[in-house]
Amino acid sequence: MRRINGTALVIVALVGTLGALAFPVWSYADRAGTGQANLASGTVPTRWGPLTATDRDLIVRVRLAGLWELPAAQQALERAPGEAMKEAADHLIVGHTDLDKRVRGVARDLGVELPNQPNEQQQGWLNQMTAASDADYVKVWANLLRSAHGKIFPAIGTVRNQTRNTLVRQLASDANQTVLDHITVLEKTGAVDFDAIANDSVAGSTASPSGPPPPAAGVTPGAAPPAEATGDIDTTSRPSPGEPGTVNTNRPDPEDPDAGATP
């Protein structure tokens, strides 16, 4: 009888220990500081779906982008009127004029307050452009803008992936097209320092590189077979990208959020 009781006590102790270990794992998703808790924090309901803090951050960042990139583009037309710079400046002006109408409409509907001036960092970039010598201007201009676009690009993709708000999802789609178009035309200036961008993007990173092994010297891999559907399939859609070096940004004109405003 004593042996049975001793065994029972051991079993009870083991069950209790396992339960204590399992409970934090089971309940961790509901604790403050986890991804789920962070997602819920600051989220408000709207008729278009939940609006998170990350959603609102993108709305503000899209507005801020136009507030400094429009004057940067106008300055470039005055200081560096070469064809590549004129094309890049033209795309920046058209793209951000369009995006600004869209973001002001989204902000109005969702009740998000927008800034009316570039932030301190963006004003600093404008000052750098203004202070650049004529010999360095194109390089300074193109790299500051290319770097800024490259940093917001993944943020747009993150919001586009996880937002549950239909207005924010559409804004992210529109911004994605515009930013990719601007990256493309900025690179066509020939002034972008890709080494600097690559080094800046991994600054402070300690993660080991991953991916396929590097190619072996003197070895040509076999041609990969095409990935395509099989069978008698009739397709009607076409790839969305345009010619190489272009991005298709065609979309319906946005509603002007000030059209119905009373003076």
Side-chain angles (χ1 to χ4, degrees):
M1 182 64 68
R2 289 179 180 177
R3 181 176 297 175
I4 294 175
N5 290 342
T7 303
L9 288 173
V10 171
I11 293 173
V12 169
L14 287 174
V15 171
T17 300
L18 290 173
L21 291 172
F23 178 76
V25 176
W26 170 77
S27 62
Y28 190 75
D30 296 322
R31 294 172 60 188
T34 65
Q36 289 85 349
N38 291 339
L39 182 64
S41 178
T43 298
V44 295
T46 77
R47 57 180 289 197
W48 297 275
L51 180 70
T52 68
T54 304
D55 294 338
R56 297 193 295 275
D57 180 66
L58 180 66
I59 293 170
V60 170
R61 290 180 70 177
V62 170
R63 167 69 169 174
L64 282 169
L67 291 177
W68 85 276
E69 291 178 35
L70 282 168
Q74 291 175 308
Q75 184 187 88
L77 293 176
E78 299 170 1
R79 293 194 55 179
E83 287 304 313
M85 288 289 283
K86 285 173 64 178
E87 180 186 24
D90 179 272
H91 279 239
L92 290 175
I93 291 170
V94 171
H96 282 293
T97 300
D98 173 85
L99 269 186
D100 193 67
K101 288 182 181 179
R102 296 176 188 276
V103 75
R104 286 188 294 119
V106 169
R108 175 202 60 199
D109 291 341
L110 295 176
V112 176
E113 184 176 359
L114 294 177
N116 293 317
Q117 297 291 333
N119 63 30
E120 184 177 353
Q121 183 183 49
Q122 293 164 338
Q123 189 58 57
W125 292 335
L126 288 171
N127 292 340
Q128 287 184 56
M129 293 176 182
T130 301
S133 66
D134 291 342
D136 293 335
Y137 181 77
V138 171
K139 183 176 180 180
V140 171
W141 186 89
N143 281 281
L144 284 172
L145 284 161
R146 172 60 178 81
S147 178
H149 281 81
K151 288 175 180 176
I152 197 173
F153 202 34
I156 293 169
T158 297
V159 173
R160 179 62 181 80
N161 174 58
Q162 69 184 27
T163 186
R164 293 165 289 168
N165 188 285
T166 56
L167 293 184
V168 175
R169 188 176 301 118
Q170 184 59 54
L171 178 65
S173 294
D174 295 336
N176 184 71
Q177 285 182 292
T178 300
V179 170
L180 180 57
D181 174 61
H182 292 177
I183 285 174
T184 303
V185 293
L186 287 166
E187 292 172 353
K188 287 171 69 176
T189 64
V192 173
D193 186 344
F194 291 101
D195 287 336
I197 290 173
N199 289 328
D200 181 60
S201 67
V202 297
S205 174
T206 58
S208 300
S210 59
V219 177
T220 302
E228 55 188 6
T230 59
D232 186 12
I233 300 174
D234 184 20
T235 58
T236 58
S237 62
R238 294 292 179 267
S240 57
E243 296 297 320
T246 66
V247 178
N248 180 11
T249 58
N250 291 331
R251 51 184 178 248
D253 290 334
E255 171 196 354
D256 187 344
D258 294 332
T262 55

